[in-house]
Amino acid sequence: MGFTPTADRLMPDLTPAEEIVLLARTLWAEGYCDHLAGHITYAVGDGTLLCNPWLLTWEEFGPEDVLRIDLEGNLIEGNWPVPLGIPLHLALHKARPEVTWALHNHSEYGTVWADLKEIPPMHDQSSSLGGGELVLVDEYDGGVDSMSAAEAAIQGVGEADIALLGGHGVFVLGSTARAIYLRAVSLEIRSKNAWLTRVAGGPAKTSLPDWWVDRQTRSDGNGYHGFWEAAVRAALRSEPQLLGKIASVSR
């Protein structure tokens, strides 16, 4: 495992399978921790996807557990079942082949706003860091283990980068694992702070100036260098053996 210097510390060179695992580990600690729920996909570029397995939580699967599937959801490589809700990702990657990374889960505060069927206002800088367009898909058409429900959800997402799926959870898209992590963390901070501000009787509308919101929305999520890297280092400090496992699907 080689190391590439970054502006702040050292960052390991990660395979996509390792990035999937580290996204799962780091985001589990950020509120993306609804038991067995959640899927992360990486579009390999050859008509296949890497994804996390079914039956293992985001805090326990390793690189050797990551699956390779085709765009019909058939297992190509791996030793675990394909996640039940993977049709959401299949529908996405078919409709938008330019999307490399996608993440779905039922985050603690993001799901509150999905249940409310409201877009949470941005009240502070940390709530705006991830960039991208956030939309609400406010029709619940059933679990995304159904392809028809998954396709309806993707139609509702349109060309947006982040979505609240009404009565369900959140969906985050990006070009890199770094962007997915920043967007997912920022969305959960935004959702939590907006809820606490509402409970405290604060403003119902975004408190930040329009010029800032517009600038942040145009961000692709890759600009905050060091944010993802720090999370990776923290995860590896608490689980130093994680990258010592053989990731057979990606090497």
Side-chain angles (χ1 to χ4, degrees):
M1 181 68 62
F3 282 80
T4 301
T6 64
D8 51 345
R9 287 293 187 106
L10 295 177
M11 176 68 178
D13 295 324
L14 301 172
T15 67
E18 290 167 342
E19 289 184 306
I20 288 174
V21 173
L22 284 161
L23 277 170
R25 288 294 197 283
T26 54
L27 289 173
W28 181 274
E30 297 284 349
Y32 290 73
C33 52
D34 185 9
H35 305 89
L36 288 175
H39 329 106
I40 303 170
T41 50
Y42 168 79
V44 177
D46 60 357
T48 67
L49 308 172
L50 300 184
C51 71
N52 59 294
W54 179 234
L55 300 179
L56 297 177
T57 68
W58 279 20
E59 67 169 347
E60 65 177 332
F61 77 93
E64 77 283 4
D65 301 312
V66 172
L67 310 179
R68 187 190 297 271
I69 62 175
D70 65 21
L71 289 178
E72 301 304 317
N74 299 308
L75 181 64
I76 297 174
E77 296 179 37
N79 299 312
W80 293 94
V82 178
L84 301 182
I86 206 64
L88 179 67
H89 293 254
L90 302 179
L92 167 78
H93 290 289
K94 288 179 182 178
R96 296 177 58 182
E98 79 283 359
V99 174
T100 305
W101 287 88
L103 178 148
H104 167 64
N105 208 317
H106 313 149
S107 59
E108 291 178 308
Y109 284 88
T111 302
V112 169
W113 289 94
D115 292 344
L116 290 170
K117 297 187 176 182
E118 292 183 41
I119 297 290
M122 284 189 285
H123 292 308
D124 53 85
Q125 179 175 289
S126 295
S127 299
S128 68
L129 294 177
E133 179 189 1
L134 172 62
V135 298
L136 171 67
V137 180
D138 62 2
E139 294 296 328
Y140 182 75
D141 292 308
V144 291
D145 54 337
S146 158
M147 183 54 78
S148 62
E151 289 174 341
I154 295 305
Q155 184 174 6
V157 173
E159 296 299 312
D161 308 292
I162 313 164
L164 300 181
L165 307 180
H168 191 172
V170 306
F171 199 36
V172 181
L173 315 180
S175 60
T176 63
R178 175 186 288 108
I180 290 287
Y181 180 73
L182 181 58
R183 284 179 168 171
V185 171
S186 181
L187 175 62
E188 188 64 3
I189 292 172
R190 174 178 177 174
S191 299
K192 179 178 180 178
N193 290 355
W195 176 250
L196 295 177
T197 300
R198 172 178 284 193
V199 170
K205 294 183 178 180
T206 293
S207 303
L208 297 171
D210 290 344
W211 67 265
W212 176 267
V213 173
D214 291 343
R215 189 183 79 175
Q216 294 304 103
T217 300
R218 290 194 297 271
S219 168
D220 67 359
N222 287 294
Y224 193 165
H225 181 70
F227 194 84
W228 162 240
E229 290 83 354
V232 168
R233 293 196 307 273
L236 295 179
R237 283 196 300 272
S238 53
E239 198 175 352
Q241 78 284 4
L242 185 59
L243 299 187
K245 301 175 182 179
I246 297 174
S248 60
V249 298
S250 60
R251 291 179 175 170

